[in-house]
Amino acid sequence: MHVPDGFINVPVSVATGAVAATAVAVSLRGARRELDERTAPLAGLVAAFVFAVQMLNFPVAAGTSGHLLGGALAAILVGPYTGVLCISVVLLMQGILFADGGLTALGVNITDMAVVTTVVAYALFRGLVRILPRTRRSITAASFVAALVSVPAAALAFTGMYALGGTTDIPIGRVAVAMTGVHVLIGIGEAVITALTVGAVIAVRPDLVYGARGLTAPLKLRVGGELVDAAVPAAVPGAAPVAVRSASVSASTRNVRIAGLVTALVLAGFVSYYASSSPDGLEKVAADQGIDEKTEAHHTDGSPLAGYGVADISDGRLSGGLAGVIGVGATVAVGSGVFWAVRRRRTSEGQGPGAAGGDSGREPSVPAGNV
């Protein structure tokens, strides 16, 4: 779905750039309400994980592959505003470091892959969790459906942008049918990856899943062989001291972050070597329909990491793996810096830790579980 330079004309590229800039500005403000002591350290990791999984193209049809877009996953894990920022950071890293997605088309890509996927997915997710039974399985099921729908929605959004500013004269109906058809298949893969990831985090630390807040019973911690509410004041008889509970939560959060980072590094540095080499959905449609006739060379084609490989390293496995590790590291660093700055701004404005995500200061509730 990464649109290269030359697919969309200058006026529409400028317009989508303005839309993307506005969306990022709004998201920076909205993320202040979402990023608390739990989600802020996780947001940079979510961006890095999305970057890593996007390197894993999976086959969806003869000669066609797909990869995660990540908008649904990011929105459900860390919130819709923060999700837009996560995907925007990923797209920026990919465009600058790896020549993946045009720089003049960055506004197109952010609007399509960050804004459309996140808005569509999170709106559908919230609607589903309101009508489904309030359980962890419902969250996972809603994640699956939201992710599935978000991909063809992004394909239709690209079709709309192409109808306004496409640089080749192709019947828009053919483009719409081709894009939607292949991206429904890609959406199935997106849905599976999203549901598995959300389900895995819920199983370990449900309080870290933004979309699971306010559902059922509060998080339980096992302290001294007994289950206690994480939010129970220390003055309640039988409750563990606040310092003990806080240390348990911090250690558990740290373990989740370490596991997530190691997973991202393994996926990008090793598993990516075995990803499908077939063109992805947009590339395949563009070649078949003639959309790519006026594709322009990427501005960073000569960069040391262009094409997800390290220049002057002839071994394909080593070159691609090292590039993936560098990409994960760069995305973690940039993403964490952005989210740290947003969180610091929120703290300087005097917002309490319970004000995240429109919960009006209430302690977020999640499905009960042991840590």
Side-chain angles (χ1 to χ4, degrees), residues 311-338:
D312 300 325
I313 295 182
S314 57
D315 185 291
R317 186 192 299 265
L318 178 60
S319 177
L322 184 57
V325 170
I326 292 171
V328 168
T331 305
V332 165
V334 173
S336 297
V338 170

Side-chain angles (χ1 to χ4, degrees), residues 72-164:
L73 177 61
I76 294 166
L77 287 180
V78 292
Y81 293 109
T82 308
V84 169
L85 298 178
C86 283
I87 307 304
S88 298
V89 168
V90 172
L91 293 170
L92 185 63
M93 293 295 98
Q94 291 170 332
I96 293 176
L97 296 180
F98 300 97
D100 188 11
L103 295 184
T104 61
L106 185 60
V108 173
N109 286 320
I110 289 178
T111 300
D112 195 28
M113 295 178 64
V115 179
V116 172
T117 60
T118 299
V119 171
V120 170
Y122 199 72
L124 180 55
F125 172 82
R126 292 307 305 172
L128 289 172
V129 296
R130 285 191 177 98
I131 62 176
L132 292 172
R134 296 181 171 235
T135 65
R136 297 181 187 179
R137 290 183 179 180
S138 295
I139 299 170
T140 304
S143 301
F144 182 95
V145 176
L148 173 61
V149 173
S150 71
V151 178
L156 287 174
F158 167 79
T159 303
M161 287 185 278
Y162 193 81
L164 295 174

Side-chain angles (χ1 to χ4, degrees), residues 37 44 88 146 256 294 313-314 351:
E37 69 280 0
S88 298
V256 171
K294 296 185 179 181
I313 295 182
S314 57
Q351 297 185 36

